[in-house]
Amino acid sequence: MEWSVNNAFKSYKDMEPKSTMDMVLIPNMDTIDIVLGSSEKGNVVPSAKPRKKTMTSVYLKYFETAPDGKTRRCKFCGQSYSIATATGNLGRHLSNRHPGYDKTGENVSSSAPQLSTTPTVIKKPQPQGRAPQVDYDHLNWLLIKWLILATLPPSTLEEKWLANSFKFLNPSIQLWPGEKYKAVFREVFRSMREDVRASLEQVSSKVSIALDFWSSYEQIFYMSITCQWIDENWSFQKVLLDICQVPYPCTGSEIYNSLVKVLKMYNIENKVLSCTHDNSQNAIHACHALKEDLDGQKMGPFCFIPCAARTLSLIIDDALRTTKPVIAKVREFVQELNASLDISEDFIQLATAYKEGSWQFPLDASARWSGSYQMLDIVQKAGKSMDAVVRKNEEMLGNRMLLNTAEKNVVNIVHNYLEPFYKVISEICVNTPPTIGMVIVYMDHISDTITTRQPPDWLKNPAEDMAKKLRSYNNQVCNIFIYMTAILDPRIKCELIPESLNSENYLEEARAHFVRNYYTTPFSSMTSGYSSQDIEDGGAVSFAEEIARKKRRASMSNATDELTQYLSESPAPTKTDVLEWWKVNSTRYPRLSAMARDFLAVQATSVKPDELFCSKGDEIDKQRFCMPHDSTQAILCIKSWTQGGLKLKYKSTEIDYERLMEMAAAAAADISLAGMDKKQK
């Protein structure tokens, strides 16, 4: 699951004093006063003695009549209406602006209510006949939220026709200048980053990081650093640490320096257990330098691993190499289907008639794996329907999209050859985040598929390239670190470990690592990371030290028994929720569960699999590519943090967008009522 702020920030929030405001409005318009729980005279709307009412209604007791007898004013907020306003409209005002008004009792104060923590917006009485005025700073904050969710730079709001559109609605609307939006974004980024840093200080287990890279339209090379861990409730937590520019020439050295800077800023160098990279040589060199640095400082074990998803993507590209011209034809056909309602209806009817399945439109026509496999699927499962649609609409489509027999045969062979890949990718996209142990099992299955199947001659060269890439991946993950991570997956243990990774020596090394780092106390990893190694120095020791060492040896035996007992039991079913299993069994294995909590956080992929294999990734790539340098870090980080559940914060104050939306809806209702009032006159 994604990073849950309710869990990750719980301890931090308990320590942080509550702010006296739950939102910020800067600067406030002259027509609005913000009451912050004080009783200052300037914040209180004076009451006036009502004149005798000429009409009766249950709503009138919540309004008071002005001395001139021409207007009525709401006792809750001070909003004024013409004396001729229908009581039904007054009732709508109360329902929209003051839900629960009828439960406040008979005696309603004629002055604005005072609140202790939540800002109350009091509108000054408006001149008769004029529409209620709105604080348009609220609009600017809502636009900031829109820019974040849409991943758009502040320069978007500088487009004059957008500003003209707002002016059309209300000529008095004033948007902030572009530089002010940028300054606000920078301050929001700094404030929220401090919250992330503070939350990571509360993490008691080891963490894993993942690196991703891309270049923008400005030819600036960026690196994103994501951190993942398992909290004390046995839930995956993930947070984006930073998006930083990697200086030219963007080699391993520059990547390493940028990465270390981020780790030090968050003070997590001693907590990092692993790094998953994007398989590039520069990233490998950077991770190697980081390992040497951490080993030199004796920070504990550290391992870097390649991204399994990117390895699979490269392997699939090799398999699709010979069919690219055919896939291009089918993709053009699918794009025509998506663009024309008539043609798509023809296809649906023909597919039903030929019993070639049901198809949901729009079809995936992306150039990613999901789209390419969809093209193969259409030819294999709905080939007759495709031919019939092309012939029926030949005047529009021409005959260039018709596939000959040889092309159809090629598609059928590749489709069958890639079916195991389709199943594996579907599994890792659905079961997120996939554990490294289960991914190793999947990759072993892919290796068997490539080795055992005899492809036709035209597919042999691609198959050899596929096998080469897979061997490279296996060589990088065949180590004691990955072995320990895999056996701690209760679905795998030693039974499902691939042969290339299964070793008697690895099991003994795993035992030694477990005893050395987790045997001292049941929850050592949870409280202070790895304990120091129990190394017996030479020389004389005291009698007390001899007793202590005897106790340690007994403790080591008990700890070893935990691992032995765990491995002796049958693996859990493959559908088992790994973290739920450990949550239930942590009392049986108090020391081993501490190790599992560290190692199961290792990330098998450097990106979310569905963002790499599905059309969803196209939108992300476009947003990254088009974002200007002065907005990339702030916008993308803030978006990730808010999607993870973190409240948008300006300086030390949270922006209460729910409250802003309520105020916007209420203002719209007031304007509507004012319009109705004007018509009645």
Side-chain angles (χ1 to χ4, degrees):
M1 68 180 67
E2 289 298 315
W3 184 41
S4 169
V5 174
N6 289 334
N7 293 328
F9 279 73
K10 183 177 180 182
S11 57
Y12 169 60
K13 286 296 182 184
D14 291 340
M15 298 163 55
E16 183 184 38
K18 300 294 184 181
S19 173
T20 57
M21 293 181 62
D22 62 0
M23 71 175 184
V24 62
L25 307 170
I26 55 172
N28 294 305
M29 303 295 287
D30 292 338
T31 57
I32 293 184
D33 299 322
I34 304 297
V35 178
L36 300 177
S38 65
S39 57
E40 295 173 5
K41 294 181 180 180
N43 290 331
V44 180
V45 180
S47 61
K49 184 177 180 181
R51 300 180 66 182
K52 185 177 180 180
K53 300 179 178 63
T54 58
M55 54 192 296
T56 60
S57 169
V58 295
Y59 305 125
L60 291 180
K61 64 183 178 182
Y62 302 107
F63 290 82
E64 57 187 6
T65 306
D68 59 5
K70 295 181 179 180
T71 60
R72 284 192 178 87
R73 189 169 59 121
C74 176
K75 294 181 180 180
F76 290 105
C77 65
Q79 177 64 50
S80 295
Y81 291 97
S82 167
I83 198 72
T85 300
T87 55
N89 291 340
L90 300 180
R92 279 189 284 275
H93 166 87
L94 293 170
S95 298
N96 291 330
R97 293 295 300 274
H98 314 293
Y101 67 92
D102 53 338
K103 299 178 182 178
T104 58
E106 294 296 325
N107 298 322
V108 182
S109 173
S110 61
S111 60
Q114 302 297 301
L115 302 180
S116 59
T117 56
T118 305
T120 301
V121 177
I122 301 179
K123 294 201 172 185
K124 294 181 178 179
Q126 304 292 329
Q128 183 179 352
R130 289 182 59 187
Q133 295 186 16
V134 182
D135 186 341
Y136 293 114
D137 245 9
H138 298 184
L139 172 63
N140 284 292
W141 279 102
L142 291 173
L143 288 174
I144 281 180
K145 183 75 168 182
W146 171 63
L147 291 174
I148 293 169
L149 295 177
T151 322
L152 295 171
S155 57
T156 305
L157 299 177
E158 296 176 3
E159 168 56 50
K160 67 176 183 178
W161 286 106
L162 179 63
N164 288 343
S165 299
F166 284 112
K167 294 288 186 182
F168 176 78
L169 295 174
N170 191 323
S172 64
I173 287 178
Q174 293 292 330
L175 300 184
W176 289 341
E179 287 305 314
K180 180 168 183 178
Y181 279 111
K182 293 177 184 178
V184 169
F185 273 118
R186 286 193 295 269
E187 183 56 46
V188 170
F189 168 75
R190 284 192 291 265
S191 299
M192 296 180 74
R193 183 171 62 182
E194 280 304 302
D195 278 356
V196 174
R197 188 187 63 78
S199 72
L200 287 171
E201 290 180 355
Q202 308 304 314
V203 176
S204 57
S205 63
K206 291 287 184 176
V207 303
S208 69
I209 58 174
L211 311 180
D212 193 25
F213 303 89
W214 71 91
S215 293
S216 70
Y217 74 97
E218 297 172 305
Q219 295 300 302
I220 295 177
F221 190 60
Y222 290 101
M223 171 176 64
S224 71
I225 307 167
T226 306
C227 178
Q228 179 172 284
W229 70 96
I230 298 173
D231 66 18
E232 294 179 357
N233 293 319
W234 288 95
S235 296
F236 278 118
Q237 305 296 341
K238 180 177 287 190
V239 61
L240 177 64
L241 296 181
D242 205 357
I243 291 175
C244 48
Q245 177 185 352
V246 179
Y248 183 84
C250 313
T251 64
S253 177
E254 286 75 31
I255 293 173
Y256 163 76
N257 290 329
S258 299
L259 175 57
V260 169
K261 182 179 179 181
V262 173
L263 297 181
K264 288 183 177 180
M265 178 180 64
Y266 285 101
N267 193 28
I268 59 173
E269 311 103 295
N270 63 333
K271 293 182 179 180
V272 176
L273 183 65
S274 70
C275 179
T276 307
H277 55 78
D278 71 337
N279 305 10
S280 66
Q281 287 301 311
N282 285 334
I284 292 174
H285 293 156
C287 289
H288 188 269
L290 179 61
K291 178 173 174 56
E292 289 184 339
D293 184 17
L294 296 178
D295 288 348
Q297 299 181 52
K298 297 182 179 180
M299 293 286 192
F302 173 80
C303 180
F304 53 94
I305 60 176
C307 174
R310 292 196 180 277
T311 301
L312 275 175
S313 181
L314 293 173
I315 291 173
I316 289 169
D317 286 345
D318 288 336
L320 295 175
R321 189 191 311 159
T322 56
T323 57
K324 282 186 177 180
V326 182
I327 290 176
K329 281 186 180 182
V330 184
R331 181 171 283 112
E332 188 177 353
F333 169 73
V334 169
Q335 289 168 342
E336 292 290 345
L337 286 181
N338 289 338
S340 171
L341 182 61
D342 292 337
I343 297 178
S344 62
E345 287 181 350
D346 286 343
F347 181 82
I348 292 172
Q349 292 173 3
L350 288 165
T352 302
Y354 287 128
K355 297 182 179 180
E356 292 185 327
S358 59
W359 302 83
Q360 297 293 325
F361 284 85
L363 298 172
D364 187 352
S366 71
R368 294 176 183 269
W369 160 252
S370 61
S372 296
Y373 196 77
Q374 176 98 86
M375 305 304 106
L376 301 177
D377 238 13
I378 289 173
V379 176
Q380 204 214 32
K381 298 178 180 178
K384 292 181 180 178
S385 302
M386 178 180 172
D387 288 347
V389 169
V390 173
R391 290 191 174 94
K392 181 179 179 180
N393 298 275
E394 187 172 359
E395 185 175 339
M396 180 186 298
L397 303 179
N399 58 7
R400 67 187 182 280
M401 299 180 194
L402 287 173
L403 302 183
N404 58 41
T405 303
E407 289 173 326
K408 291 179 180 179
N409 287 337
V410 167
V411 168
N412 288 333
I413 290 171
V414 173
H415 184 278
N416 292 332
Y417 190 78
L418 290 178
E419 187 174 3
F421 292 81
Y422 173 78
K423 293 178 179 178
V424 166
I425 292 171
S426 298
E427 283 291 322
I428 66 174
C429 285
V430 172
N431 299 319
T432 54
T435 65
I436 187 69
M438 191 54 71
V439 167
I440 293 296
V441 172
Y442 289 146
M443 297 297 275
D444 187 58
H445 173 65
I446 292 295
S447 180
D448 289 343
T449 299
I450 296 174
T451 303
T452 57
R453 291 194 176 187
Q454 294 298 322
D457 291 342
W458 52 268
L459 196 54
K460 284 184 177 179
N461 286 338
E464 290 176 1
D465 292 338
M466 295 163 68
K468 183 178 179 181
K469 290 181 174 64
L470 196 55
R471 284 194 299 271
S472 174
Y473 175 84
N474 288 334
N475 289 338
Q476 293 180 67
V477 299
C478 187
N479 55 61
I480 177 58
F481 187 96
I482 300 301
Y483 177 85
M484 289 189 293
T485 305
I487 65 172
L488 289 170
D489 188 329
R491 303 168 299 177
I492 298 172
K493 298 188 177 179
C494 293
E495 280 78 354
L496 297 183
I497 292 286
E499 186 177 347
S500 60
L501 192 59
N502 209 348
S503 167
E504 286 276 340
N505 293 335
Y506 282 167
L507 180 57
E508 291 308 312
E509 288 182 45
R511 290 182 189 278
H513 178 85
F514 170 56
V515 170
R516 185 170 59 244
N517 295 292
Y518 295 90
Y519 83 92
T520 52
T521 59
F523 306 103
S524 58
S525 176
M526 295 184 183
T527 56
S528 60
Y530 288 97
S531 63
S532 60
Q533 298 184 12
D534 182 29
I535 300 174
E536 294 195 7
D537 299 322
V541 294
S542 67
F543 178 66
E545 179 63 21
E546 289 180 3
I547 295 175
R549 291 185 177 183
K550 184 177 180 180
K551 292 288 186 181
R552 290 192 194 108
R553 293 189 190 99
S555 180
M556 289 173 64
S557 177
N558 293 335
T560 306
D561 287 343
E562 274 193 32
L563 180 59
T564 302
Q565 177 64 28
Y566 166 77
L567 294 177
S568 67
E569 297 175 356
S570 300
T574 55
K575 294 294 184 181
T576 300
D577 184 319
V578 175
L579 298 191
E580 184 64 26
W581 189 95
W582 275 108
K583 183 177 182 179
V584 171
N585 289 277
S586 59
T587 53
R588 295 178 60 205
Y589 308 111
R591 298 177 179 86
L592 192 62
S593 63
M595 182 175 173
R597 189 175 157 215
D598 285 344
F599 278 79
L600 290 176
V602 174
Q603 302 180 64
T605 63
S606 61
V607 293
K608 293 180 181 179
D610 60 335
E611 293 179 2
L612 182 64
F613 293 114
C614 304
S615 56
K616 175 183 178 180
D618 291 333
E619 184 64 25
I620 294 173
D621 285 353
K622 181 178 70 175
Q623 292 169 351
R624 288 175 167 182
F625 182 79
C626 296
M627 186 66 66
H629 177 59
D630 59 4
S631 302
T632 295
Q633 183 187 46
I635 295 287
L636 296 183
C637 286
I638 293 171
K639 179 178 182 179
S640 177
W641 294 334
T642 54
Q643 287 177 337
L646 184 60
K647 294 290 186 181
L648 193 142
K649 179 180 285 188
Y650 182 83
K651 296 184 178 177
S652 61
T653 307
E654 289 182 0
I655 313 301
D656 190 346
Y657 274 100
E658 290 184 4
R659 174 66 175 145
L660 282 178
M661 290 302 296
E662 289 174 2
M663 294 165 64
D670 286 345
I671 292 172
S672 176
L673 289 174
M676 296 171 65
D677 182 30
K678 187 175 181 181
K679 287 181 180 180
Q680 290 176 1
K681 291 182 180 179

